[in-house]
Amino acid sequence: MANEKITINDIARLSGVSKRTVSRVINQSPKVGEQTKLKVEKIIEQYNYVPDKQARGLASSRSYLLGLVYDNPDALYIDEVQRGILSFCSKKGYELVVHPCRYKSTDLNDNVLDFVRRSKLDGIILLPPASEVDDLASTLDENAIPYVRMVSGYSEKTDDFVMSNDRHAAADMARFLVSLKHQKISMITGPLNYRSSKERYEGFIHTMENMDRALPDQYLIEGTNLYESGIEKGRHLLTLDDRPTAIFCNNDEMASGVLKAAAELHIKVPEQLSVCGFDDNLLASRIIPALTTIKRPVRQMAVYAANKLIAKIESNNPQAVIQNCTVHPELVIRDSTGFNEN
């Protein structure tokens, strides 16, 4: 059997149950007892059985295709999201179709609807900043299209969201930099029309204010979340007459750009300047010096989103739908930050 394609009939025979029972296990039906479910799942895993999507689609009027809609220039972030979604949905017999968009475009809603219909998707996962567009979510609701939104911050409508508490994490970074005795602390925000940027900005700024350490205007600057923006804004801050001794960036891309600018200006990190970011992407631990940052569990968020979306599509696992999926990013201290000796 190892050299042949195993079928649902084989799984049923090996498990000692009916084909219908195997189908119910695959589709997460609550009508199957826990012991039987575990026995069938063990056989499925042992023989690496993948349900035939075409046959399942004909039987259930579903395509077993999920969509991922994004407008985000960070390729490392998108890669982590895709890996997370696929690690879950492939086990359930679903495939992923990816669709870039322009979230500010006037035809965003029509564009996404066309994508769903053209690809015959069962549901979609929205990434920020597209996930922050309430009008798009309303359009999906009106057209009865299942979706899950990955966002920063909190929403009471937990059925539709997987959330990251970025505000709290940014507050942790503020307290950390103050603990290193830095007096001249700067922040390069992301675009403040992005919810994630605003959450991080408010978490950091309000915490600094609560410690009587409000940032002067010249130390607060808006970037674009791109590496090139980090270089540009870093050069600006580091050529001020009274330059900062610590810079917190909205993401690791811009923090890497600041490190580049510091190297060009012969400013030593962390001896003369502390630099930190947000996300803990693949490069954060590999650049020199390794970057102090906030680790956001993006892949885990994507797993939660896939689980929640499939549960909504199949409507037979209510607990997965109503689960409050909120992750809490954590501070990761590396070589790019140090005590201010001045």
Side-chain angles (χ1 to χ4, degrees):
M1 189 176 295
N3 296 322
E4 301 176 6
K5 183 177 180 180
I6 194 166
T7 68
I8 192 171
N9 291 322
D10 295 322
I11 297 296
R13 178 174 54 79
L14 291 165
S15 303
V17 299
S18 68
K19 178 179 175 181
R20 174 177 291 184
T21 298
V22 175
S23 179
R24 284 175 173 171
V25 171
I26 292 170
N27 291 299
Q28 297 182 302
S29 171
K31 296 180 180 180
V32 181
E34 186 64 21
Q35 188 173 354
T36 300
K37 174 176 173 289
L38 292 173
K39 180 171 65 173
V40 173
E41 286 180 340
K42 183 178 180 180
I43 297 296
I44 287 174
E45 184 177 357
Q46 179 181 346
Y47 288 91
N48 197 27
Y49 170 67
V50 178
D52 186 301
K53 286 179 281 295
Q54 184 176 14
R56 291 176 75 197
L58 289 171
S60 64
S61 300
R62 294 205 298 267
S63 66
Y64 292 89
L65 294 175
L66 306 181
L68 177 66
V69 175
Y70 71 94
D71 179 1
N72 189 315
D74 189 342
L76 293 173
Y77 172 77
I78 301 300
D79 180 67
E80 278 291 285
V81 170
Q82 290 185 75
R83 288 175 184 272
I85 294 172
L86 288 169
S87 71
F88 184 86
C89 76
S90 60
K91 296 176 183 177
K92 303 298 181 182
Y94 286 79
E95 300 292 346
L96 183 66
V97 185
V98 179
H99 181 68
C101 70
R102 289 289 177 263
Y103 92 105
K104 286 186 177 180
S105 64
T106 56
D107 66 342
L108 173 66
N109 294 0
D110 290 339
N111 179 276
V112 173
L113 284 178
D114 182 60
F115 166 58
V116 172
R117 290 164 179 164
R118 183 178 65 252
S119 303
K120 299 180 180 178
L121 304 177
D122 291 334
I124 60 174
I125 294 171
L126 302 170
L127 300 187
S131 62
E132 300 166 6
V133 182
D134 291 334
D135 186 53
L136 173 58
S138 297
T139 298
L140 295 172
D141 283 329
E142 291 166 4
N143 287 271
I145 297 170
Y147 65 88
V148 172
R149 304 160 71 177
M150 287 175 55
V151 298
S152 296
Y154 177 76
S155 171
E156 293 182 354
K157 194 179 180 184
T158 56
D159 286 9
D160 299 333
F161 289 89
V162 173
M163 298 160 283
S164 173
N165 195 344
D166 290 8
R167 182 183 293 252
H168 181 78
D172 287 343
M173 184 65 81
R175 287 187 285 267
F176 171 67
L177 291 176
V178 169
S179 76
L180 295 178
K181 309 301 181 184
H182 286 280
Q183 301 292 326
K184 303 172 184 178
I185 300 174
S186 173
M187 181 180 188
I188 303 177
T189 75
L192 289 175
N193 57 321
Y194 288 11
R195 180 174 178 177
S196 56
S197 298
K198 189 175 180 181
E199 288 288 317
R200 297 171 193 181
Y201 163 80
E202 292 183 352
F204 190 79
I205 296 301
H206 291 170
T207 302
M208 294 294 293
E209 291 173 348
N210 290 338
M211 294 187 292
D212 295 323
R213 301 289 296 278
L215 270 63
D217 291 342
Q218 69 267 28
Y219 285 174
L220 186 59
I221 189 167
E222 184 174 345
T224 66
N225 281 341
L226 297 175
Y227 173 73
E228 293 77 12
S229 178
I231 296 174
E232 176 192 351
K233 306 305 180 183
R235 285 173 182 160
H236 171 79
L237 289 168
L238 296 175
T239 53
L240 292 174
D241 290 337
D242 191 20
R243 74 185 188 215
T245 62
I247 300 176
F248 172 44
C249 300
N250 188 66
N251 68 354
D252 294 341
E253 290 283 320
M254 291 198 297
S256 300
V258 171
L259 290 176
K260 168 74 169 175
E264 291 176 348
L265 295 166
H266 305 290
I267 296 172
K268 295 180 180 179
V269 177
E271 294 85 353
Q272 296 172 294
L273 173 71
S274 287
V275 179
C276 41
F278 201 112
D279 283 334
D280 195 26
N281 68 24
L282 183 65
L283 294 178
S285 61
R286 299 184 179 184
I287 57 177
I288 301 175
L291 189 64
T292 291
T293 186
I294 300 290
K295 181 178 182 61
R296 186 169 52 146
V298 172
R299 193 176 298 198
Q300 186 60 55
M301 291 181 70
V303 170
Y304 286 155
N307 186 8
K308 190 180 286 282
L309 180 59
I310 290 173
K312 292 177 74 170
I313 291 166
E314 299 184 348
S315 300
N316 58 16
N317 189 357
Q319 286 301 114
V321 177
I322 64 174
Q323 181 183 6
N324 180 8
C325 293
T326 302
V327 300
H328 301 280
E330 298 180 350
L331 175 64
V332 177
I333 301 170
R334 297 197 180 101
D335 301 334
S336 67
T337 50
F339 278 95
N340 178 32
E341 304 294 344
N342 299 325

